[in-house]
Amino acid sequence: MLVIRPVRPADLPALERLAGSATPRLTNLPAHRDRLEERIARSQRAFAAEVEAPGDEHYTFVLEDLERGEVAGTATIRAQAGAREAYYTYRQETLIHASQQLDVRREVPTLALSHEVSEATLLCALSLDARYKGTSAESLLRRARLMFIAQYPERFAGILAMAFPGYLDEQGESPFWNSVGRHFFVRDYQEINYLAGVRSKSFIAEVMPQFPLYLALLTPQARAAIGREHPDHEPALTEMLAEGFLRSRHVDIFDAGPVIKGERERLASFRRAAWHPVRIRPAHALPDAEPAMVANQRLGDFRCVVARYALSPTGQLMLSPEHAERLGVEEGRAVLAAPLALPGAGDGSLDAHDPGYDEGEL
């Protein structure tokens, strides 16, 4: 039995383990005990606060395997990416260089520093135990955050964003960092990655050049890495594109990993989610049905599980006593349910490398 719930102080050792085993190491989930303690405390304050508009709240969740009695994953929502300090990205743009006298016109691709993503809600800091990858646990951990946002829309922005780790070479180095950032910081990729997580990414933007970067002046390896995700994160990107996110023209200022964005109300989990009163029946008596994410409607005691989307003729969601107990719901109580499967996911109709820019990005 797997359940998503808010993080607790007792989860600190598990968060340390998950941060240390993330591939690649995540800037927004540093393996630093003090920072992880701060993350837990910050999350507890966010869940306890009365919020009317998104701000500097961070909501951290964990995936708990109740049978094994261990935490197997974690993921976070930053209500507003740039609430405390601007959230910098590079935006892919095109400059036109023309001369009538020489009859020359060239379109030159560039990268320009931007903080447009600062107003978006950021889904970040996801790490999952390797034993659970490729299972429904992975989708549950990634998308249960959407079930939480759907219930408390006033706490989050209308645009959601995700930044994926960028491409690294066989030596674990970032071609983009080596071609750009290393000229301004005498630090290698792994060291700067750790410092950015323990401190902040803002110091990178403060030192990086404020003028557009001409892609033609970068190494071929660096150009090829722009907007390219780390191979271990290709399935995650494909799933979130199926959810309804689109690649934006923004990439990470650190390793040039892709940033995807989506309008909240157009995402599949929001459009297909529905409220149902609970009807409790023995597990062996439940009819076969497709799996669904099912969430209770408790803020501080939020729970989300995967259960059968088995509806009675009157629209009640039939749950086993075990699932009802894990959700903390009684018969007649309403729960929010959304299909776990996504339209187009896994059938080859989605290409994670297709730019597919949002219309607003053109």
Side-chain angles (χ1 to χ4, degrees):
M1 178 76 74
L2 302 175
V3 62
I4 300 292
R5 61 166 174 79
V7 70
R8 303 168 182 160
D11 299 324
L12 178 59
L15 259 60
E16 287 185 286
R17 173 174 52 81
L18 291 165
S21 63
T23 305
R25 294 296 179 91
L26 301 177
T27 307
N28 50 30
L29 188 65
H32 189 285
R33 189 176 185 86
D34 291 345
R35 294 295 172 267
L36 294 175
E37 283 183 328
E38 291 175 9
R39 178 183 296 267
I40 294 172
R42 192 174 196 174
S43 178
Q44 290 186 303
R45 290 195 299 270
F47 279 102
E50 294 185 6
V51 177
E52 296 181 356
D56 195 29
E57 299 83 28
H58 289 203
Y59 304 86
T60 296
F61 302 85
V62 296
L63 171 71
E64 184 176 7
D65 187 328
L66 298 173
E67 292 182 2
R68 291 179 172 173
E70 64 182 21
V71 168
T74 183
T76 294
I77 309 171
R78 289 171 60 178
Q80 190 177 66
R84 177 175 293 185
E85 55 193 12
Y87 184 85
Y88 285 98
T89 62
Y90 272 124
R91 179 184 168 98
Q92 301 179 71
E93 299 179 350
T94 300
L95 293 181
I96 297 176
H97 290 250
S99 171
Q100 291 183 344
Q101 292 181 336
L102 299 177
D103 192 25
V104 172
R105 184 184 185 279
R106 294 291 302 275
E107 294 185 358
V108 182
T110 65
L111 294 175
L113 274 178
S114 168
H115 48 74
E116 295 174 10
V117 183
S118 292
E119 298 300 314
T121 288
L122 191 67
L123 306 181
C124 60
L126 186 148
S127 180
L128 179 66
D129 188 302
R131 293 172 295 174
Y132 296 82
K133 291 184 177 179
T135 70
S136 60
E138 193 165 9
S139 290
L140 176 63
L141 177 62
R142 188 174 298 122
R143 293 168 51 219
R145 293 174 292 182
L146 301 180
M147 300 291 282
F148 183 78
I149 293 171
Q151 295 193 47
Y152 305 100
E154 71 281 359
R155 291 175 175 259
F156 306 100
I159 299 296
L160 309 183
M162 296 182 71
F164 284 84
Y167 172 78
L168 304 181
D169 62 22
E170 295 179 354
Q171 288 72 43
E173 290 292 324
S174 165
F176 183 78
W177 176 258
N178 288 340
S179 185
V180 179
R182 192 170 185 120
H183 294 293
F184 302 90
F185 296 85
V186 188
R187 312 265 186 165
D188 62 24
Y189 171 78
Q190 298 298 343
E191 183 179 4
I192 205 72
N193 186 36
Y194 178 76
L195 288 175
V198 172
R199 298 178 185 174
S200 161
K201 273 193 174 182
S202 65
F203 75 87
I204 297 178
E206 292 167 359
V207 179
M208 295 289 270
Q210 301 298 310
F211 302 102
L213 299 177
Y214 286 73
L215 268 59
L217 301 181
L218 305 184
T219 65
Q221 295 84 354
R223 292 197 298 271
I226 295 173
R228 182 179 177 186
E229 71 281 2
H230 189 282
D232 286 357
H233 291 259
E234 287 182 9
L237 178 57
T238 298
E239 180 177 42
M240 298 316 285
L241 293 177
E243 177 69 60
F245 283 85
L246 294 171
R247 283 182 178 268
S248 73
R249 294 191 180 276
H250 297 268
V251 297
D252 187 77
I253 61 173
F254 191 28
D255 57 18
V259 176
I260 62 174
K261 295 164 66 177
E263 294 181 34
R264 189 171 67 193
E265 304 307 323
R266 295 175 65 178
L267 299 179
S269 292
F270 287 82
R271 291 186 291 101
R272 303 169 75 199
W275 290 98
H276 301 280
V278 168
R279 185 176 182 181
I280 301 176
R281 290 292 180 268
H284 65 83
L286 296 179
D288 289 334
E290 295 297 317
M293 297 181 292
V294 182
N296 66 10
Q297 50 181 325
R298 295 181 178 180
L299 176 61
D301 291 319
F302 176 80
R303 299 290 186 275
C304 187
V305 302
V306 173
R308 299 180 194 175
Y309 209 155
L311 296 179
S312 71
T314 54
Q316 295 170 307
L317 182 64
M318 292 182 279
L319 292 177
S320 68
E322 293 78 15
H323 279 121
E325 179 183 358
R326 298 312 176 197
L327 289 168
V329 297
E330 301 173 348
E331 189 155 301
R333 179 72 67 177
V335 293
L336 185 66
L340 186 65
L342 289 167
D347 63 5
S349 62
L350 292 165
D351 182 358
H353 299 284
D354 180 4
Y357 295 124
D358 181 9
E359 293 175 0
E361 296 283 349
L362 298 179

